[in-house]
Every structure is written in structure tokens, then in C-alpha cells.
């Protein structure tokens, strides 16, 4: 560790992770490794079926393929680092590697927010304007929509990462986290971070606030339209087309709101427990949520299940 009163620049960071709870490290190593393999398998299969199955050549499944690929990228940017920290006593990460990891995690998170709002718009058009669906959600529309979400997320992340990494780090180099989470890194700088705080606030409004408003707004019209359908079977069928997306949205934003909205403990013993709870919640957000996404989309969608069965049969015949 670099001493707090030392003025030499930081060239590496120390990631605490679960260092204060060594008995938990091996258990969480196995759990996270298992979940990571499930993410790779589940998301990989979803990407394959959306590409290979012509029945899934629609905007909804195109967005689903993007979300699956994003889940792989997001977890790959952090999970190997977390697993390595559980196995090695030296839990350091270089300055440049920290910047790359920070860029990837922020970019994937921002991109997912935009993609979820675009998928909500797709569900809105499907339910509320079915006769104009093919016109509104043509390939010339939904492909640029998805591409723009990746560009927007990457651009925002580049801005935030560059603003953070240009700051001088000349004090403690211990990050009380599993990865180079941008807020944890900013706490270590020995300079004014008001510009970073403002830019982060703007980014949160754009990538969290706007989708949080757009998604419920879309579902108000969706639910109102579904309730006007005369037959119970018709209402059930209409709701099933957006139930998987709605479930993913609730899990994704619910975890974020719980992470940043829960009260903090003030006593010393409680603070230690609170610190452990915060880290475990961040693991849930970073690993469990991406693992649930392909499972939710597979279990709640008969077209995806049929495509997966067809892929399985094809693989068995090939072998």
C-alpha cells in the first residue's frame, strides 16, 4: 500500500474485495465461477439462436441478442478480475488495466440502460400500433437504434474514464471494492473532483433518469391497451410478449435502486456488516443479474424455447 502522506503518483491499485473475510473467498469463487459459466452458456445460446433461427429475425430478438452479448462483455470485464482476487494474495491492478476495466463496466452499464428503453419502445409499438409495426420498426430503424446505444454508452464511458484517470492519485491506493468502480476510484484522488461529480450527474440523468421515465411511460400505454382487449386469451397473449422484458427491467433497476437507496449503518459493528452487504449486493448486480437475463427470456418465451430445442437437436445430430 502507498502511504497516505506520500506524494509519489500511484501506478497501481489494491482491490480489497473480500480480504477482510477470507473464509468467504473460496465459497464465492465457486459460486461466481458457476454463475459466470451459466452467463456464457445462456447468453451464447441466445445469441446463436437469434442469428441462426429465421423465426427470430425480428427487432425484439435483435435487441435480445444485443442484450445477451452485452451481458457477456459486462461480466467478462469484471468477473475474471474478481475470480483472480479470490485466489491470489496479491490483489493489485495496474493503473492502465484499472482504466480499461472502468471504461468497459461503465460503457456496458450505460448501453444496457439505453437498450432496455429501446426494447420498451419496441414492445410499445407491438402492442399499441401493431398495424404500423413493420413500418415503424423496420431494419433500417432498429439496427441504427441498437448501434446508437452502443455508441452512446461507449462515448459516455470514455468521457467519464478520461476525466477520472487524468486526476492525480498521490495518496492511498486501496480500492474498497472488487473492481475499479469509478466512484471508489474517485475517492482516492488528491484533487478537486467537482467536474467529475457534475459529469457523473449528467450521465446519470441521461442513462438512468431518462430510461426510468420512458420505460414506465411506455408500459402505461401498453397496459392500458392490453386491458381494452375484449378476450382474456388475447390479453394473456399480449402481456406475454412483454412480460420477460418487464421482469428484466424490474430486476435491473430494482437492484440499482436498492444499492444506492438503502440506508447506511452508523455504528462501527454495523458499518463492517454494511460494508460486506454492499459488496455482496454489488456482486448480485454485476453477476447474478446478467445470469438471470437469459434464463428469464428463455423461460418466458415459447419462440426462444423452440429455437433452443431446435439448436439442441441440430447439435446432437451433428455429433
Amino acid at each position: 500500500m502507498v502511504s497516505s502522506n506520500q506524494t509519489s503518483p500511484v501506478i497501481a491499485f489494491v482491490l480489497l474485495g473480500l480480504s477482510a473475510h477470507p473464509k468467504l473467498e473460496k465459497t464465492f469463487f465457486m459460486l461466481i465461477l458457476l454463475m459466470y459459466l451459466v452467463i456464457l452458456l445462456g447468453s451464447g445460446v441466445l445469441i446463436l439462436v437469434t442469428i441462426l433461427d429465421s423465426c427470430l429475425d425480428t427487432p425484439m430478438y435483435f435487441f435480445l441478442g444485443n442484450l445477451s452479448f452485452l451481458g457477456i462483455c459486462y461480466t467478462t470485464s469484471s468477473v475474471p478480475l474478481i475470480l483472480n482476487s479470490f485466489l491470489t494474495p496479491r490483489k493489485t491492478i495496474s493503473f492502465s488495466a484499472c482504466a480499461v476495466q472502468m471504461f468497459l463496466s461503465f460503457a456496458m452499464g450505460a448501453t444496457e440502460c439505453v437498450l432496455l428503453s429501446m426494447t420498451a419502445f419496441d414492445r410499445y409499438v407491438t402492442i399499441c400500433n401493431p398495424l404500423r409495426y413493420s413500418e415503424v420498426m423496420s431494419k433500417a430503424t432498429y439496427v441504427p437504434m441498437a448501434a446508437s446505444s452502443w455508441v452512446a454508452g461507449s462515448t459516455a464511458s470514455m468521457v467519464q474514464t478520461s476525466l477520472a484517470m487524468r486526476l492525480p492519485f498521490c495518496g492511498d491506493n486501496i480500492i474498497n471494492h472488487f473492481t475499479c468502480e469509478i466512484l471508489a476510484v474517485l475517492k482516492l484522488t488528491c484533487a478537486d473532483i467537482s467536474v467529475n461529480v457534475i459529469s457523473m450527474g449528467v450521465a446519470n440523468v441521461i442513462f438512468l433518469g431518462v430510461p426510468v421515465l420512458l420505460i414506465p411511460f411506455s408500459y402505461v400505454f401498453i397496459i392500458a391497451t392490453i386491458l381494452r382487449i375484449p378476450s382474456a386469451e388475447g390479453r394473456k397473449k399480449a402481456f406475454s410478449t412483454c412480460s420477460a422484458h418487464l421482469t428484466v427491467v424490474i430486476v435491473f433497476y430494482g437492484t440499482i435502486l436498492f444499492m444506492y437507496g438503502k440506508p447506511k449503518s452508523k455504528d462501527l459493528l454495523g458499518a463492517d456488516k454494511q460494508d460486506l452487504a454492499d459488496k455482496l449486493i454489488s456482486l448480485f448486480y454485476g453477476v447474478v443479474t446478467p445470469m438471470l437475463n437469459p434464463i428469464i427470456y428463455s423461460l418466458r418465451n415459447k419462440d426462444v424455447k423452440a429455437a433452443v430445442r431446435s439448436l439442441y437437436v441440430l447439435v446432437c445430430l451433428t455429433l
Side-chain angles (χ1 to χ4, degrees), residues 78 118 272 304:
S78 60
M118 290 182 174
D272 181 64
V304 172

Side-chain angles (χ1 to χ4, degrees), residues 11-64:
I11 59 173
F13 295 101
V14 177
L15 299 169
L16 279 188
L18 290 176
S19 298
H21 308 275
K23 293 182 180 179
L24 296 176
E25 290 189 330
K26 290 184 179 179
T27 301
F28 276 94
F29 174 85
M30 296 304 300
L31 287 174
I32 294 171
L33 177 60
L34 178 62
M35 289 187 286
Y36 183 50
L37 293 176
V38 171
I39 291 169
L40 294 179
L41 177 63
S43 297
V45 168
L46 280 178
I47 293 171
L48 276 178
V49 297
T50 55
I51 294 174
L52 299 177
D53 197 313
S54 58
C55 295
L56 303 183
D57 187 18
T58 65
M60 182 179 75
Y61 297 113
F62 180 76
F63 288 129
L64 175 56

Side-chain angles (χ1 to χ4, degrees), residues 46 49-50 55-56 58 60-61 64 123 237 239-245 293-309:
L46 280 178
V49 297
T50 55
C55 295
L56 303 183
T58 65
M60 182 179 75
Y61 297 113
L64 175 56
R123 296 298 83 205
K237 183 177 179 181
F239 184 74
S240 67
T241 64
C242 54
S243 59
H245 173 260
N293 289 354
I295 296 174
I296 292 170
Y297 278 115
S298 299
L299 294 179
R300 305 284 303 205
N301 192 297
K302 63 179 182 179
D303 293 331
V304 172
K305 287 190 286 187
V308 171
R309 283 195 295 266

